[in-house]
Amino acid sequence: MRELPDFEIYSPSSLRDLLEYLHGDGRDATIIANGTDLLPRIRRGELRPRRLVDISGVRELRYIREEGGVIKIGALTTISDLAGSHLLSHSRYEAFHVLSRMFGTWEIRNRATVGGNLGAAASSEDLIPIFLALDARVRLLSLGGERVLRVDELVVAKRRTSRRGDEVIAEVSFKSLGEGEWSYFQKIGRRRTHIIALVSLASYLRLSPDGVIEDVRLAFNRVRGKIPERAWRTEEFLRDRRIDEEVISGAERVLESELRLTSDYRASYLYRTEVAKVFLRRALRHSRDMVLGGVESVAEA
Ligand SMILES: Cc1cc2nc3c(=O)[nH]c(=O)nc-3n(C[C@H](O)[C@H](O)[C@H](O)COP(=O)(O)OP(=O)(O)OC[C@H]3O[C@@H](n4cnc5c(N)ncnc54)[C@H](O)[C@@H]3O)c2cc1C
């Protein structure tokens, strides 16, 4: 394994200290949270930052709370924190339950942060499609104030975000899920866990009591480009329809025409397209059965 190159490192202990640093000397510094994405990239020689700012000691950024019907998650919250949170324990947050089972190893789950997943801005980052499906907002803080962006406004291209050098990703928030709503996540790789997703789908559905789709959001890790995106046309097709086998087949056809998947050494576009259609079918059937079946606990789900 390669040695890490030399770099300066600054470790603020408070949010104020961090924002002041980013406003001044640290404007061109690379933020490091717990380093599970960044350090391997530095080791591989993909990045050679001269200056790092280690935010792992900024405790104010680690929390999960619910305020006014909105779930708020601090950037330093880990995947294990999400898995253990009572606020996300209801089965309708199934997307997070699946995520925490399939994400890396337990050592990685204990370290991988929410802010780091967004900041990494790659199609392999599982939280990006989940937050897209939940229509989440990302709060960026700087000494000058705050900006609140949609996830697709933050993650603009592979390995590129719209974060300014003086800003830190501070929080992600989304509306708490209620009656009739369901979130789900599916991913496939070459193994069951500890994998880079070949295809993943995060879905959100809101169904009326008689099973009509009132709202739907579908985020695949690739649709047109190399970052997670929503399948807008498929969503449009599904809205206001009742989930039955005919609608599911129709949605698969729209999805197939919408997807612009590519082949690479991991999988062909044909394989990815077939899996995407299977994931769509499962998401629709599963969410309908869970919502209309009135499942209450994770254990039953
Ligand atoms: C063995 C292994 C398995 C993995 N499995 C998975 C998996 O199953 N699913 C998955 O999604 N990922 C996986 N990852 C990738 C990684 O764990 C995640 O991307 C993780 O969420 C990154 O969090 P971090 O705190 O380690 O981020 P870091 O590595 O510290 O940072 C990642 C990027 O985000 C930026 N950043 C971090 N925090 C902030 C912030 N608050 N504001 C602005 N920018 C910020 C950094 O500058 C950097 O560009 C795996 C990694 C490893 C090594």
Side-chain angles (χ1 to χ4, degrees), residues 53-183:
V53 51
D54 171 10
I55 64 169
S56 60
V58 181
R59 296 210 181 136
E60 296 113 293
L61 293 179
R62 188 171 179 180
Y63 57 86
I64 308 176
R65 46 179 177 252
E66 189 169 23
E67 283 168 7
V70 175
I71 305 265
K72 300 182 173 182
I73 302 173
L76 281 181
T77 302
T78 65
I79 303 300
S80 300
D81 295 337
L82 294 175
S85 166
H86 72 280
L87 290 174
L88 299 173
S89 64
H90 194 286
S91 49
R92 57 178 69 113
Y93 294 104
E94 194 177 0
F96 291 104
H97 308 155
V98 176
L99 170 86
S100 56
R101 288 199 298 271
M102 298 194 86
F103 197 110
T105 57
W106 67 265
E107 294 96 328
I108 296 290
R109 292 195 281 275
N110 282 343
R111 297 191 61 76
T113 65
V114 166
N117 212 270
L118 289 168
S123 67
S124 50
E125 305 309 314
D126 293 335
L127 276 170
I128 300 176
I130 292 181
F131 288 139
L132 280 169
L134 292 169
D135 198 23
R137 295 293 180 270
V138 184
R139 188 161 164 248
L140 295 147
L141 285 183
S142 67
L143 214 51
E146 67 167 35
R147 286 198 299 151
V148 177
L149 302 180
R150 293 193 315 264
V151 175
D152 63 328
E153 293 172 321
L154 176 78
V155 180
V156 289
K158 187 178 174 193
R159 294 290 185 193
R160 198 153 64 82
T161 70
S162 58
R163 181 185 78 85
R164 296 193 315 253
D166 65 336
E167 290 176 322
V168 64
I169 297 170
E171 182 183 276
V172 188
S173 61
F174 54 86
K175 284 201 191 115
S176 313
L177 302 186
E179 201 68 34
E181 296 177 292
W182 200 268
S183 68

Side-chain angles (χ1 to χ4, degrees), residues 2-11 21 28-35 38-55:
R2 278 200 213 184
E3 292 282 306
L4 285 174
D6 287 341
F7 46 73
E8 276 174 39
I9 188 154
Y10 181 67
S11 303
Y21 178 71
D28 64 345
T30 300
I31 292 180
I32 180 163
N34 283 334
L38 194 69
L39 287 177
R41 295 187 69 207
I42 297 176
R43 282 218 167 85
R44 287 196 297 266
E46 284 172 34
L47 298 171
R48 287 189 73 87
R50 281 186 309 112
R51 224 175 239 185
L52 291 180
V53 51
D54 171 10
I55 64 169

Side-chain angles (χ1 to χ4, degrees), residues 258-270:
E258 180 170 25
L259 290 174
R260 295 280 174 273
L261 299 175
T262 49
S263 301
D264 60 22
Y265 68 95
R266 289 199 177 95
S268 70
Y269 80 91
L270 279 173

